[in-house]
Amino acid sequence: MAKRIHLTELGCIACEELSELGAGKEGWLVNNPNLLCALDSHSLALANRNLILIVNWGDPDAPRVKIRPDLSPIEAESITAIEWLVFDDVRVVVAGTSCGYLLVYSVAGDLIHKQMVHPSRILKIRVRGTKKDLIQETSAEEICFVMPGIIARFDGSHIQSMLQKWFQEKNSNFWDQKNRKGDVEDTGSLSQRLPYQIWNVNKNGVCVDATVTGVMPPPLLELQSSQRYYCAVTIGEDAVISAYRLSEDRGRSLVGAILSKVVPAAASTIASFSKLIWRSNDQSPKRKPEAKTQSFARASSLTCIKDYPRKGEKLTLSPSGTLAAITDSLGRILLLDTQALVVVRLWKGYRDASCVFMEMLAK
């Protein structure tokens, strides 16, 4: 009796360029913590510490694209996260670095955008669609960057506008050949900052993974508030599951507001006075302006589950954002209702598990 094969071959990614990622060595694809992977409907993006390789698995004859980001050797910067971002016919690769930088590349390898999110290691990039209205079927992408104890959220509409402008300028030959190669200093990509929100979510311990599940109602005392609130779920070693209400408000205390005004003014006065005393004719070389970090918005803890020695390991959010599958160090899988913030199901005996949600028609 012939052996049954339950797998269907979709494409082939074998190429010589894979040797730069360690292909040919035992366990290079499965047991390699430095190898990152992001799958698109037609392409596969693989990355190690300093190289991104884009392979079109649907067309073996398509050219492979190798991208070597300009990373800081002083900080030993490396690529730590990678993901695809798709808007209609526009497809780009988004990468995060160990120094907290966001990098956006076209499928041709051009650097479109570079921006500092926060000076911390980016652990994961999450991309998902969110419905704008219960009646309309239009949806907008939401991009989240997860760092130790920190989560940042970018609105997809802002990124989409930036990409459309970049591709329009590229197609109209607005830039010269040097700029087309992705020279950040000449194109001004660093000066064009995308708006985003960032929150500190380590009140219950440093998180190893996190996600924004969607919009949630405001607190009872702020029902008339025009601000938008989000719900975030984090997992970690101290607290298996934690939930936070994220506010767009970056309001600070009165003392913090006073210090933020007084300290820079005092420092500027002292610096000006010192220049008058120790004025020198020698002109010091100009330094590149350092990337400014954004202050944290308010994050209020809603609930947490602490069950030592249980530790949260992986988090998978459903496409609708209403459910989350969480694996822990005891071989369990917890199914969390992200709206009620209640564990509704628990499976035992699944160590080193990876979860995924699949959508299908209800009928």
Side-chain angles (χ1 to χ4, degrees), residues 68-176:
R68 296 188 182 275
D70 185 14
L71 304 175
S72 172
I74 301 177
E75 301 291 338
E77 188 177 12
S78 61
I79 303 170
T80 54
I82 189 172
E83 190 55 80
W84 284 98
L85 187 58
V86 181
F87 294 103
D88 298 329
D89 296 333
V90 177
R91 296 187 305 126
V92 295
V93 176
V94 182
T97 73
S98 58
C99 293
Y101 277 96
L102 150 70
L103 306 175
V104 182
Y105 288 95
S106 68
V107 291
D110 298 321
L111 178 60
I112 300 176
H113 186 71
K114 181 177 181 179
Q115 178 174 334
M116 164 66 76
V117 181
H118 189 78
S120 181
R121 182 184 183 91
I122 295 179
L123 302 175
K124 199 162 190 177
I125 303 173
R126 293 187 175 274
V127 179
R128 75 179 188 94
T130 55
K131 286 189 176 181
K132 291 183 179 178
D133 196 286
L134 295 176
I135 300 176
Q136 299 178 357
E137 293 297 330
T138 56
S139 61
E141 294 291 331
E142 180 182 76
I143 301 93
C144 294
F145 291 82
V146 182
M147 291 157 277
I150 299 170
I151 186 169
R153 178 189 178 274
F154 286 77
D155 195 316
S157 60
H158 298 144
I159 299 180
Q160 185 177 15
S161 300
M162 182 266 296
L163 293 177
Q164 290 176 349
K165 180 181 178 182
W166 187 88
F167 280 103
Q168 287 175 0
E169 292 177 346
K170 183 177 177 64
N171 294 333
S172 62
N173 296 324
F174 180 79
W175 288 338
D176 57 14

Side-chain angles (χ1 to χ4, degrees), residues 216-237:
M216 71 178 304
L220 294 178
L221 299 179
E222 300 183 21
L223 292 178
Q224 303 300 324
S225 175
S226 60
Q227 297 182 32
R228 179 174 293 183
Y229 293 85
Y230 303 95
C231 180
V233 175
T234 68
I235 62 173
E237 296 183 357

Side-chain angles (χ1 to χ4, degrees), residues 100-346:
Y101 277 96
L102 150 70
L103 306 175
V104 182
Y105 288 95
S106 68
V107 291
D110 298 321
L111 178 60
I112 300 176
H113 186 71
K114 181 177 181 179
Q115 178 174 334
M116 164 66 76
V117 181
H118 189 78
S120 181
R121 182 184 183 91
I122 295 179
L123 302 175
K124 199 162 190 177
I125 303 173
R126 293 187 175 274
V127 179
R128 75 179 188 94
T130 55
K131 286 189 176 181
K132 291 183 179 178
D133 196 286
L134 295 176
I135 300 176
Q136 299 178 357
E137 293 297 330
T138 56
S139 61
E141 294 291 331
E142 180 182 76
I143 301 93
C144 294
F145 291 82
V146 182
M147 291 157 277
I150 299 170
I151 186 169
R153 178 189 178 274
F154 286 77
D155 195 316
S157 60
H158 298 144
I159 299 180
Q160 185 177 15
S161 300
M162 182 266 296
L163 293 177
Q164 290 176 349
K165 180 181 178 182
W166 187 88
F167 280 103
Q168 287 175 0
E169 292 177 346
K170 183 177 177 64
N171 294 333
S172 62
N173 296 324
F174 180 79
W175 288 338
D176 57 14
Q177 185 64 29
K178 182 178 180 180
N179 288 341
R180 289 182 185 179
K181 292 181 180 179
D183 193 334
V184 180
E185 294 183 1
D186 293 336
T187 60
S189 297
L190 280 177
S191 60
Q192 180 188 3
R193 289 183 57 84
L194 293 170
Y196 66 99
Q197 297 98 26
I198 188 169
W199 299 274
N200 187 338
V201 290
N202 65 352
K203 295 180 181 179
N204 298 318
V206 178
C207 66
V208 298
D209 202 352
T211 183
V212 176
T213 61
V215 180
M216 71 178 304
L220 294 178
L221 299 179
E222 300 183 21
L223 292 178
Q224 303 300 324
S225 175
S226 60
Q227 297 182 32
R228 179 174 293 183
Y229 293 85
Y230 303 95
C231 180
V233 175
T234 68
I235 62 173
E237 296 183 357
D238 299 325
V240 184
I241 304 174
S242 298
Y244 295 86
R245 177 186 282 111
L246 309 179
S247 170
E248 294 181 335
D249 183 22
R250 288 184 292 180
R252 292 167 293 183
S253 62
L254 179 61
V255 176
I258 294 175
L259 290 177
S260 65
K261 298 294 184 181
V262 174
V263 173
S268 177
T269 303
I270 295 174
S272 300
F273 185 71
S274 62
K275 287 182 180 179
L276 292 176
I277 298 177
W278 293 286
R279 179 173 293 177
S280 174
N281 296 327
D282 297 332
Q283 296 182 355
S284 58
K286 295 182 179 180
R287 295 183 180 180
K288 295 174 60 178
E290 297 181 358
K292 296 181 180 180
T293 58
Q294 184 169 304
S295 58
F296 293 117
R298 290 189 299 171
S300 305
S301 178
L302 297 175
T303 185
C304 72
I305 299 177
K306 294 186 178 182
D307 185 19
Y308 182 83
R310 187 195 302 267
K311 302 176 182 179
E313 293 184 343
K314 299 177 184 177
L315 188 154
T316 305
L317 187 68
S318 66
S320 63
T322 57
L323 294 172
I326 299 167
T327 63
D328 63 19
S329 57
L330 301 182
R332 270 85 163 176
I333 299 177
L334 295 82
L335 185 64
L336 177 71
D337 185 334
T338 59
Q339 296 179 337
L341 298 178
V342 175
V343 176
V344 296
R345 191 75 183 268
L346 187 145

